[in-house]
Every structure is written in C-alpha cells, then in structure tokens.
Amino acid sequence: MEFYEGACELKLLQTLEGHTDRVWSLAWNPATGTADTPLVFASCSGDKTVRIWEQNPSPSSSSSSSSSSSYSSWNCKAVLEDTHTRTVRSCCWSPSGKSLAVASFDATTSIWENVGGDFECVSTLEGHENEVKSVSWNASGSLLATCGRDKSVWIWEVQPGNEYECVSVLQGHTQDVKMVMWHPTLDVLFSCSYDNTVKVWADDDDDWQCVQTLGEPNNGHSSTVWALSFNKTGDKMVTCSDDLTLKIWEMDGTSMQSADGYASWRHLCTITGYHDRTIFSVHWSSEGIIASGAADDAIRFFVEDKDGLVDGPSYKLLLKEEKAHGMDINSVQWSPGEKRLLASASDDGTVKIWELASLCTGNGY
Amino acid sequence: MTLGLINANPVVHAKKERVARTEDPHGDDAVDPLDIYDFVRDIRDPEHPYSLEQLSVLSEESITVDEKLGRILITFTPTIQHCSMATVIGLCLRVKLKHCFPPHYKVDIKVSPGSHANEESVNKQLNDKERVAAALENPNLRQLVDECLYSSEL
C-alpha cells in the first residue's frame, strides 16, 4: 500500500453497541486473528463491565472478489460483570491469550481466564490505594505491571496456581500514573503520567529502579502524557499528550552495551500542529503506521516522511478521519493478524471496527 | 474535612434580575451562553447558603460558546485565592451541564486568570476527564455535588 496522503481511506466495518457508559479502552487478544482463530478483543467501560467481542469466522466458500473475512460481523461473546464496583479502566491479555488482566477504579486488578467457554475471575490483586488505571504483561507473560492515581507502579510476578506476588512498589512519579507498558522484547517497563514525564524502570537482580525519566529537559511533554506505544522492533516509541503533540523517541543504540544493561532513550521528533484537543491514545502498527485517538472525535494516521527535507526522521499525516465517533475517542488499537484493522473506543459508548484500505487497487466494491 | 469555613465572610450580591427571553430563533444545535448561564447561576456554593451568582463566582460573562468549533468555555472566580473548593465547583458545573447541549460539544472549565494561587494546577485537574470521572464515583464528593445542585431547585 502506498503511504502518501490521499492514498487510502478508512472504512467503517461495524459499530458495536452494548456498553451502557463510555468505553475507556480495548485490547486485542494477541493469540487470535490466525487461520484457525477468529479475532477477539476486550473492551472496558464506565459501566463496570468488560465485554469480549469475537469476529465470526469467514465463510468457507471462496469469494474471488471481496476480501470477505474483513467484513465478517462481530458479536459480543461475554460480559464480565459483578466483579468490579467502579469503572473498569483498561485491560491487557497475556501473550498466550489465555488470561485477561483488568484494571479498575475500585483499586483492584482482576485476572480472568476462559474456562470452557466461560470467563472466570481467577484472581484479584489488591494493594493500590485508589484507582488503578493501567495493566500490562511483559513479553514472556511472567510479570504484570499496574499503576494508578496513588502515583505508584507495582510489579507482580506470576506464580503457579493463579498466584500473583508483588515484587516491587515503585515510587518516583509525582502525580497520577496514567499507563504502564512493557517493552516488546526486553523486561524494561515504561510508565507515563499526569506529572508530564515518562519513566523507564529496569531491574538489577530483582531490584527495580527508575533508570531514566523523559521530561521537559529531554524535549519531553509539557502536560499529562496519556499513552505510549512501541514500534514493531522496539527500538522506537511514540508518546501522546494533553500538550497536543505526539513525540517519537528512539533507543540510543550506542549505549546498549553499557554496564547497566539497558539502553537510554532520546527524543527524535515532535509531531505538532495536527491535534487541537487532548490526545488520549496512540498505537504503532507492525507496518509502521501510527494511529492516534483524540478528544476532538477524530482518528489520525501518521507515517514516516521519507521525502522530508529536514535532517533526521520526520512524520507526515497519512489520513484524518473527522467525526469518527460522536464524542471523545479514548483508545485506538491495531488488530493482530494480517488485515489492517483498527478498533476505536469512545465516550459515546461504542466501539468501532475500521479497515484502512488502499484506494489504488480495486477491493471489490 | 476542615471544620472551619475556608472563607467565613464572603461578599454576597443581589441576584440579577431575570429577563424573560423569547423562543430561541436558532436551530436545534445552537447553544446560547445565556441558556447555559441559567442552568448554572443557581448552583449553591459548597460552603455557603448562597448561589454561585450571588457570590459573584459566576456571571453572564462566565460563559463563552464557539458554535463553529463546538466548544464551551466556563470561567469562574473563586471567592478567595486559596479556595480549596475550586475543584468541587468545577465538578458541580460538569454534572449540571452534562445533558444541556449536543454531545459533541467540548466543555472547558477554568478559574478566571489571576483568581487562584494555584491557577495552573487547578485548571489542569478541572479538565482531566479521567480525574473528573473518578471523583464523581467517590460517594462523599458526589453527595457534596448533589447538595450543591439540588438545593438550587428549592
């Protein structure tokens, strides 16, 4: 697909209703979207529930024209309810796709497993003093991280029999921590906060420390950082903020072999002038397309500008979908698998499934 | 919770005379700042048995609407520089206005420039949607907000 502005369009495949309050976030099950396994994702809402959505398998009869599997409809397979007593803010599947961790404003994190077609809550993690805002599994599924308004980041070790042991409570942020995310390959944890910084945490023989803070002195954000996302290889990261910019960071390759064993990150470029309301979510696709979801109800796509005249990498707008939802967009997530599908979650209570399609080739429509 | 009032002697003003306004000639999507003001002027102050209008926390000039962009800005003036009720007043405004205009409208709430010692940090908190949502799930805060809103209906 050509990556220049006007080369593609965003097609709305389906609008999923069901939640009775705003949808805060969603997460695709990474083990789905293969030939045998239809795509599955979970959505979290202010209605205190998680909904599990599954795409119907594509029809077995071959269709020569349209890529019919893109257009198979989605159904709600399960509602995870009666567990959390307040807003469910975010969730994350384990790398195997077998477990789902759910973060709630009720200060707990619940762990669910699909047991013979039904989802069961197999564990509840307590400890945060107030709202838990984000949860993330590391690449191997051996560690879980949570964060919240109590300014702390917790690291939990997964043990047999659905036991989770807290191995570290990390203080350092001076305000509410909005999101945590593990690096895609290394056991290095990233957190972003209302204190305008991104912090990098690594362990030295099980002793977890903040090894870097990306703040204004490092060309960092000037307001709350709401989310971050890594590129496929994990050597670049994008952050989004209330300061209306996206920032691209790269891992400094030259210090990869440092005695501390971790690489430091530096600012690469700032994408500015495209958003005029808070950017709540950003997600980097495996092909290098950065999707953003913002409080102006629009979804935007950015790609690297290889023809840019400036020194160093720059990014350009590929497409802007205005009024993608009727209200703020809280989360955008690319699906796993081969199709260029994106899901978006909004204050309007819906989740929408989109396909980013090329305009150049006939797609059978 | 502090026992003493933060501002024990507020200045109270008379209620401005209400002018009966004719049927709105604009389309359904038009948002009249004076309509919004009518919704919020009688919200009771969290600490004193007076409305936000009577305490000059709000006035007609508090509300600005940009219909083209779909934005509403509400600016209020706390009675004193170190008012710790500023965030509560902000919550009251958001709850009261929740269903007052088309859902695509964006509302920003700020303290008027120079009116609060921690202006930037108060404004940041007032406009962090996640913080607002969590605060409104706190039963104590919710009760206080409800008291400020419902007593205005007496």
Side-chain angles (χ1 to χ4, degrees):
Chain A
M1 187 177 91
E2 295 297 316
F3 284 168
Y4 57 85
E5 198 167 355
C8 49
E9 62 162 346
L10 192 63
K11 288 155 75 167
L12 175 63
L13 300 184
Q14 199 172 344
T15 300
L16 302 176
E17 297 178 338
H19 281 298
T20 55
D21 201 309
R22 68 184 1 143
V23 189
W24 277 109
S25 65
L26 59 99
W28 292 92
N29 184 323
T32 64
T34 63
D36 316 312
T37 327
L39 281 167
V40 169
F41 71 90
S43 61
C44 305
S45 170
D47 67 12
K48 309 175 197 165
T49 73
V50 175
R51 279 177 178 258
I52 310 292
W53 307 86
E54 190 177 85
Q55 187 174 32
N56 292 323
S58 54
S60 52
S61 57
S62 67
S63 179
S64 59
S65 54
S66 65
S67 49
S68 53
S69 58
S70 293
Y71 302 104
S72 285
S73 64
W74 297 76
N75 296 113
C76 179
K77 300 291 287 196
V79 180
L80 311 185
E81 56 193 341
D82 299 327
T83 299
H84 289 292
T85 54
R86 288 182 55 178
T87 284
V88 176
R89 177 62 180 86
S90 74
C91 62
C92 185
W93 297 88
S94 63
S96 66
K98 295 201 170 83
S99 299
L100 179 70
V102 174
S104 170
F105 280 2
D106 67 10
T108 71
T109 303
S110 56
I111 314 289
W112 299 74
E113 274 176 17
N114 191 339
V115 180
D118 284 323
F119 278 85
E120 270 178 33
C121 177
V122 298
S123 192
T124 301
L125 278 42
E126 296 177 347
H128 277 286
E129 285 171 27
N130 45 50
E131 299 91 61
V132 189
K133 301 199 169 177
S134 177
V135 60
S136 175
W137 296 86
N138 71 340
S140 62
S142 61
L143 298 172
L144 196 64
T146 58
C147 68
R149 181 167 63 89
D150 62 8
K151 309 171 196 167
S152 67
V153 172
W154 290 52
I155 299 184
W156 311 77
E157 212 168 70
V158 183
Q159 298 186 336
N162 289 315
E163 291 292 314
Y164 291 79
E165 188 192 322
C166 173
V167 297
S168 196
V169 177
L170 301 169
Q171 311 286 359
H173 279 296
T174 56
Q175 294 277 359
D176 182 14
V177 189
K178 299 297 195 187
M179 187 192 201
V180 279
M181 173 157 291
W182 289 95
H183 186 270
T185 55
L186 307 166
D187 276 349
V188 178
L189 182 66
F190 293 72
S191 59
C192 59
S193 165
Y194 184 105
D195 69 11
N196 308 349
T197 71
V198 173
K199 281 185 180 283
V200 186
W201 313 85
D203 80 313
D204 177 16
D205 200 24
D206 281 348
D207 180 26
W208 289 87
Q209 307 276 355
C210 175
V211 297
Q212 196 178 8
T213 298
L214 303 174
E216 283 195 74
N218 319 79
N219 275 308
H221 289 289
S222 55
S223 190
T224 301
V225 187
W226 279 96
L228 63 102
S229 176
F230 294 95
N231 69 348
K232 185 173 174 183
T233 46
D235 62 298
K236 287 199 177 71
M237 152 178 90
V238 58
T239 53
C240 66
S241 168
D242 179 62
D243 72 4
L244 315 182
T245 72
L246 299 176
K247 284 179 184 281
I248 312 290
W249 308 81
E250 73 172 355
M251 197 155 63
D252 185 354
T254 57
S255 62
M256 284 250 316
Q257 303 307 317
S258 72
D260 305 293
Y262 60 87
S264 68
W265 291 76
R266 63 161 176 239
H267 173 265
L268 201 53
C269 79
T270 296
I271 300 174
T272 186
Y274 293 99
H275 299 82
D276 59 356
R277 300 288 295 180
T278 305
I279 312 163
F280 286 119
S281 178
V282 67
H283 198 214
W284 210 324
S285 82
S286 55
E287 290 177 301
I289 308 172
I290 296 172
S292 75
D296 63 357
D297 315 345
I299 299 174
R300 293 170 177 79
F301 299 90
F302 297 89
V303 290
E304 197 173 347
D305 187 359
K306 300 242 158 59
D307 303 319
L309 299 172
V310 298
D311 287 321
S314 69
Y315 288 76
K316 60 183 180 183
L317 182 73
L318 178 65
L319 189 147
K320 175 185 178 187
E321 185 73 16
E322 287 185 1
K323 300 191 175 107
H325 280 270
M327 294 172 76
D328 288 12
I329 296 172
N330 299 318
S331 181
V332 287
Q333 292 286 297
W334 293 100
S335 72
E338 289 177 1
K339 296 281 170 196
R340 231 173 251 122
L341 298 182
L342 184 89
S344 59
S346 167
D347 276 355
D348 66 13
T350 72
V351 172
K352 290 190 178 185
I353 310 292
W354 311 83
E355 184 180 4
L356 189 64
S358 172
L359 283 173
C360 301
T361 65
N363 265 354
Y365 70 96
Chain B
M1 292 282 281
T2 53
L3 295 176
L5 291 181
I6 285 160
N7 181 8
N9 298 302
V11 177
V12 182
H13 304 264
K15 284 190 201 192
K16 192 166 172 177
E17 185 190 315
R18 304 216 170 187
V19 178
R21 282 179 287 113
T22 54
E23 198 56 43
D24 197 303
H26 300 168
D28 285 334
D29 255 16
V31 174
D32 185 344
L34 291 180
D35 280 340
I36 298 179
Y37 183 60
D38 268 344
F39 270 113
V40 297
R41 64 202 297 183
D42 292 326
I43 293 174
R44 202 201 69 168
D45 182 88
E47 284 194 299
H48 309 286
Y50 298 104
S51 73
L52 296 181
E53 175 180 42
Q54 288 173 308
L55 295 173
S56 289
V57 173
L58 287 176
S59 71
E60 279 174 10
E61 289 72 43
S62 299
I63 323 276
T64 50
V65 176
D66 182 330
E67 260 180 52
K68 190 162 159 258
L69 285 178
R71 310 260 192 269
I72 297 167
L73 172 64
I74 304 177
T75 312
F76 69 94
T77 310
T79 52
I80 51 163
Q81 279 281 331
H82 287 91
C83 177
S84 64
M85 289 287 135
T87 49
V88 176
I89 293 171
L91 286 178
C92 291
L93 289 168
R94 286 211 187 264
V95 174
K96 188 73 177 153
L97 292 173
K98 201 168 174 198
H99 304 291
C100 288
F101 35 76
H104 68 274
Y105 267 86
K106 309 298 177 186
V107 182
D108 292 316
I109 302 179
K110 297 188 176 183
V111 293
S112 32
S115 69
H116 197 285
N118 298 320
E119 183 174 331
E120 244 185 70
S121 70
V122 169
N123 285 341
K124 189 174 182 179
Q125 203 176 333
L126 292 175
N127 295 291
D128 181 317
K129 177 174 84 175
E130 188 183 52
R131 295 289 284 264
V132 169
L136 291 173
E137 286 185 355
N138 174 325
N140 295 330
L141 264 177
R142 189 72 209 225
Q143 192 184 351
L144 180 53
V145 166
D146 288 345
E147 281 167 10
C148 295
L149 298 185
Y150 296 138
S151 58
S152 71
E153 287 169 15
L154 292 173

